[in-house]
Amino acid sequence: MQRECDVVVIGAGPAGSTTATLLAERGHHVVLVEKDSHPRFHIGESLLPANMPLFDRLGVAEEMRAIGMEKWGATFVSPWHDRTSGFQFGDATDPDLPMAYQVRRSEFDEILFRRARKVVAETRENTRVREVDLGDRKTRPTVTAVDAAGATHEWRPRFVIDATGRDTLLGNRLKLKRRNPAHNSAALFGHFRNARRDCGRAEGNIIIFWFDHGWFWFIPLKGDVTSVGAVVWPYYMKTRKKPVREFLMDTIAMCPQLAERLEGAQLVEEPTATGNYSYECDECQGENYLLVGDAYAFIDPVFSSGVMLAMNSGFAATEVVDARLKGEAMAEARARRRFEWAMRKGPKEFSWFIYRVTNPTLRELFMSPSDRFDMKKALLSVLAGDLFRGTPIRKGLFFFRIVYYAFSLAHLRRSLAAWRRRAFNIRDDSEMPLARG
Ligand SMILES: Cc1cc2nc3c(=O)[nH]c(=O)nc-3n(C[C@H](O)[C@H](O)[C@H](O)COP(=O)(O)OP(=O)(O)OC[C@H]3O[C@@H](n4cnc5c(N)ncnc54)[C@H](O)[C@@H]3O)c2cc1C
């Protein structure tokens, strides 16, 4: 039986639950469909200060506080330096966003999903969307899903939101998805009990350790479990001959500063490995649909930007769909321009740093950050995810980049060697076609 509604949101991760909640609160008849059931494991545990105002606006700040480990900054550890480098978000251009949380995504996503369930007309878990006919200006889309018992559900909404994360449902169907030609990496990760953390307010800081084949994250969660992951170049992942657990432990042994923190720590469950995940879609919107969060693009987790960008895209998407459903053509056109800008701005700002984070020059600047020309403040604002509130960071970032290029020129041989090395590292022999342009 086909049911009519205003919007079907496909996927109840941070992007989907946020969009569904906001649209339902504007009075629209929303259906939220999720293939799994909450709580469920998901990677992506380190949040950014820019998430905090979004929690306030959704009314979930207290619940997030209850599950979150406070994260006041980030620490970088380099085997090529005899010191660590610490950043406090409170030192950013706008000190109003001094803190974020580290969270178990099972708990975090469940809070957002329950929030949506309070206001959304219909939520369905264990129900996978299999087909989407997007219709056109005159014809409604059709969304077909199958639940765990094998029953088929069909909706005829006026608008479709694809929030399917890395499954990229519409990106695949519409052949919009492209491998990122400028980046390529893989990850293996697990949860450890009794890792040695820093003390006091720094306990919840994310720690990034560089090593020869990439970098590690060290994310202390509330309680005594710490998430540890290695983000490595694909060539390194391809050398794996052993089970993931042994391979992860061997990889950790290559980074003595991290290995020392994990002495006596125990893996809580079997670790996970995941292949190349750097991609983007050619478009983020069409006549009757929008792609939000990872359904549009994902580059790399090094700056913990994924969840913030996913939720932020839900806010921008809401303006488009609301205007469309109210028949306000001018407002819709404005909102679509704003949505497009928001979807491209995040990946663009972060990717400049992501593409260079294993480069010795950028590493140097991270290990000895300078406050001249507000460079460090602006860098911290990016690390805090403060990209969408008009905080004045352009000047600081401009000088940061000038210094980076000047350093690269001053150490030309090293820079060329790093550039050649990176070109080798990002090669990919997967089937996914390269992005155009
Ligand atoms: C190794 C790694 C580490 C990361 N670390 C961080 C980090 O520290 N901090 C951070 O912010 N981000 C991190 N990320 C990124 C983060 O995981 C994502 O950016 C974020 O989860 C995106 O949210 P989303 O709602 O767009 O997608 P998701 O969270 O993936 O949610 C998509 C939802 O859609 C559902 N779904 C998929 N297909 C269908 C279908 N056909 N029908 C119904 N439902 C469907 C899925 O089950 C899922 O619940 C990391 C990513 C990786 C790969």
Side-chain angles (χ1 to χ4, degrees), residues 61-370:
E62 271 311 299
E63 285 170 275
M64 293 307 176
R65 197 175 62 77
I67 62 155
M69 175 82 187
E70 291 185 5
K71 168 189 174 187
W72 292 88
T75 305
F76 290 85
V77 180
S78 156
W80 301 281
H81 295 76
D82 54 4
R83 61 187 182 284
T84 62
S85 175
F87 292 88
Q88 301 297 317
F89 296 125
D91 295 334
T93 309
D94 180 351
D96 280 355
L97 296 176
M99 194 259 280
Y101 296 124
Q102 318 280 22
V103 294
R104 284 179 176 76
R105 283 289 300 276
S106 52
E107 298 172 340
F108 177 83
D109 288 23
E110 189 180 21
I111 289 172
L112 292 178
F113 179 68
R114 285 194 197 291
R115 172 72 184 91
R117 204 156 62 184
K118 281 188 194 153
V119 287
V120 160
E122 182 182 351
T123 51
R124 289 214 152 259
E125 293 179 272
N126 297 310
T127 305
R128 179 190 286 266
V129 170
R130 298 250 179 229
E131 290 300 331
V132 182
D133 175 341
L134 287 166
D136 54 35
R137 190 79 192 167
K138 295 200 182 102
T139 320
R140 283 176 175 239
T142 306
V143 176
T144 310
V146 177
D147 70 21
T152 300
H153 302 261
E154 209 159 86
W155 294 274
R156 303 220 51 206
R158 294 167 66 195
F159 210 90
V160 177
I161 298 287
D162 181 357
T164 56
R166 290 164 61 202
D167 283 25
T168 51
L169 182 75
L170 290 184
N172 289 336
R173 296 288 156 92
L174 302 175
K175 301 201 184 327
L176 300 172
K177 184 178 176 182
R178 309 280 171 233
R179 178 170 79 76
N180 183 344
H183 200 62
N184 195 359
S185 57
L188 54 161
F189 43 88
H191 281 172
F192 288 81
R193 183 159 284 129
N194 297 325
R196 191 174 62 72
R197 301 170 171 192
D198 287 339
C199 297
R201 216 164 82 153
E203 183 182 351
N205 280 10
I206 185 169
I207 309 179
I208 304 290
F209 299 83
W210 281 288
F211 82 119
D212 279 338
H213 304 290
W215 55 274
F216 287 93
W217 76 69
F218 182 94
I219 299 176
L221 303 173
K222 198 160 195 161
D224 61 355
V225 169
T226 300
S227 171
V228 174
V231 175
V232 297
W233 300 112
Y235 76 81
Y236 177 72
M237 198 65 128
K238 283 182 189 148
T239 63
R240 179 166 84 86
K241 303 267 184 311
K242 300 172 172 176
V244 178
R245 172 185 277 257
E246 280 174 58
F247 192 61
L248 175 62
M249 298 315 290
D250 287 354
T251 308
I252 289 170
M254 293 177 190
C255 179
Q257 294 106 321
L258 172 63
E260 190 244 317
R261 283 181 181 263
L262 295 177
E263 244 171 57
Q266 308 86 37
L267 261 173
V268 178
E269 72 238 347
E270 282 310 303
T272 309
T274 168
N276 176 32
Y277 41 67
S278 196
Y279 61 84
E280 61 187 350
C281 292
D282 291 336
E283 310 289 344
C284 58
Q285 53 180 320
E287 181 66 38
N288 293 330
Y289 72 90
L290 300 178
L291 313 180
V292 292
D294 281 10
Y296 167 61
F298 184 70
I299 302 176
D300 190 278
V302 65
F303 297 118
S304 310
S305 54
V307 172
M308 187 279 288
L309 292 178
M311 291 183 69
N312 191 64
S313 68
F315 278 84
T318 299
E319 300 304 325
V320 176
V321 184
D322 186 48
R324 169 64 174 276
L325 296 179
K326 288 176 177 157
E328 296 167 353
M330 300 268 280
E332 181 188 340
R334 250 194 328 272
R336 279 188 185 268
R337 282 196 297 277
R338 166 92 198 164
F339 177 73
E340 185 90 28
W341 172 81
M343 294 304 286
R344 297 192 189 273
K345 175 159 177 84
K348 184 167 162 245
E349 290 291 353
F350 283 110
S351 57
W352 191 89
F353 291 95
I354 288 170
Y355 297 162
R356 291 165 180 82
V357 76
T358 50
N359 180 297
T361 304
L362 195 80
R363 199 160 47 219
E364 209 63 60
L365 297 181
F366 270 55
M367 293 307 288
S368 312
S370 163

